[in-house]
Amino acid sequence: MLTLLYTRITELAASPRAVWWLIVVAVAESSVFPLPVDLMLVPMLLANRERAWFLAFVCTTASVVGGLIGWLLGAFLMKHIGMPIAHFYHADQRILNLEALFRRYGVWIILAKGLTPLPYKFVTLAAGAAHFPLLPFIAASIVTRGARFFLEAALLRAFGEPIRDFIEKRLALVLFGALILIAGGIALIEFL
């Protein structure tokens, strides 16, 4: 099933209505969809490198809107919709663990998890379930999702196809390393 879905997403990336499909996939990926939006964004960026910034902006915006939907599902419909979504992905305990982490670490969870391979839908559902404040959630989502999609756009715009393998296999590691450097810098400033 996932192979068919992957094939269909890459076909949609080449369609005349690709930007609209990018919006649909980015919104769904942040709340319920099983595959990352990067599967659609990367081929679109490669096909039209001049529109890289526009596509990254659209993807970021749609992903944050999808994150808001995920937050609302977690906050108000966790029992009826959120947990069945988590159960479908065999992530029941992961959602509960994230919810507890939100209560303890707040915005840092969004910043860290939004850059990692952990599906963002889990972050959004858990943030809502923990009733994490909405404005900091949206702000952190803009930062973390924007960093991911604009970095992809920058790399693909500059290097094209040769960088595709790097993005598909190692981008999450690079983004996580950047997050550690940022957190270390903030911690250093706090202790000085």
Side-chain angles (χ1 to χ4, degrees), residues 9 18-31 35-45 51-68 120 141-153 156 171:
I9 287 173
V19 173
W20 294 108
W21 283 112
L22 177 65
I23 292 168
V24 169
V25 171
V27 167
E29 184 262 346
S30 295
S31 50
L35 296 176
V37 70
D38 312 78
L39 296 176
M40 186 161 200
L41 180 61
V42 169
M44 289 176 69
L45 290 168
R51 295 183 72 195
W53 307 128
F54 170 74
L55 294 171
F57 173 78
V58 166
C59 197
T60 300
T61 303
S63 182
V64 172
V65 169
L68 180 58
Y120 194 58
S141 294
I142 291 169
V143 169
T144 192
R145 301 311 272 174
R148 180 183 184 119
F149 301 134
F150 276 92
L151 180 58
E152 285 180 15
L156 287 165
L171 183 63

Side-chain angles (χ1 to χ4, degrees), residues 7-192:
T7 303
R8 182 66 182 137
I9 287 173
T10 54
E11 288 170 1
L12 291 172
S15 77
R17 295 195 169 124
V19 173
W20 294 108
W21 283 112
L22 177 65
I23 292 168
V24 169
V25 171
V27 167
E29 184 262 346
S30 295
S31 50
V32 297
F33 197 59
L35 296 176
V37 70
D38 312 78
L39 296 176
M40 186 161 200
L41 180 61
V42 169
M44 289 176 69
L45 290 168
L46 288 171
N48 198 344
R49 289 162 56 180
E50 307 80 49
R51 295 183 72 195
W53 307 128
F54 170 74
L55 294 171
F57 173 78
V58 166
C59 197
T60 300
T61 303
S63 182
V64 172
V65 169
L68 180 58
I69 292 168
W71 187 96
L72 292 168
L73 290 174
F76 301 110
L77 297 169
M78 191 62 177
K79 181 179 177 184
H80 302 291
I81 296 176
M83 284 313 285
I85 290 169
H87 184 71
F88 177 79
Y89 294 111
H90 306 288
D92 307 61
Q93 191 58 48
R94 188 179 292 177
I95 293 287
L96 296 173
N97 292 344
L98 276 171
E99 187 179 338
L101 287 171
F102 266 107
R103 289 193 173 96
R104 187 167 180 191
Y105 298 108
V107 76
W108 288 106
I109 298 302
I110 300 166
L111 293 173
K113 298 296 185 184
L115 296 173
T116 66
L118 177 73
Y120 194 58
K121 71 188 93 342
F122 300 155
V123 174
T124 66
L125 290 169
H131 294 281
F132 185 77
L134 197 52
L135 289 179
F137 170 78
I138 292 170
S141 294
I142 291 169
V143 169
T144 192
R145 301 311 272 174
R148 180 183 184 119
F149 301 134
F150 276 92
L151 180 58
E152 285 180 15
L155 290 171
L156 287 165
R157 186 164 199 255
F159 302 108
E161 186 68 41
I163 201 74
R164 182 182 202 155
D165 182 58
F166 172 82
I167 287 174
E168 290 175 354
K169 294 185 174 143
R170 296 176 194 91
L171 183 63
L173 182 62
V174 171
L175 290 170
F176 190 67
L179 177 67
I180 289 173
L181 289 174
I182 292 168
I186 291 170
L188 185 63
I189 290 169
E190 289 290 322
F191 291 116
L192 289 180

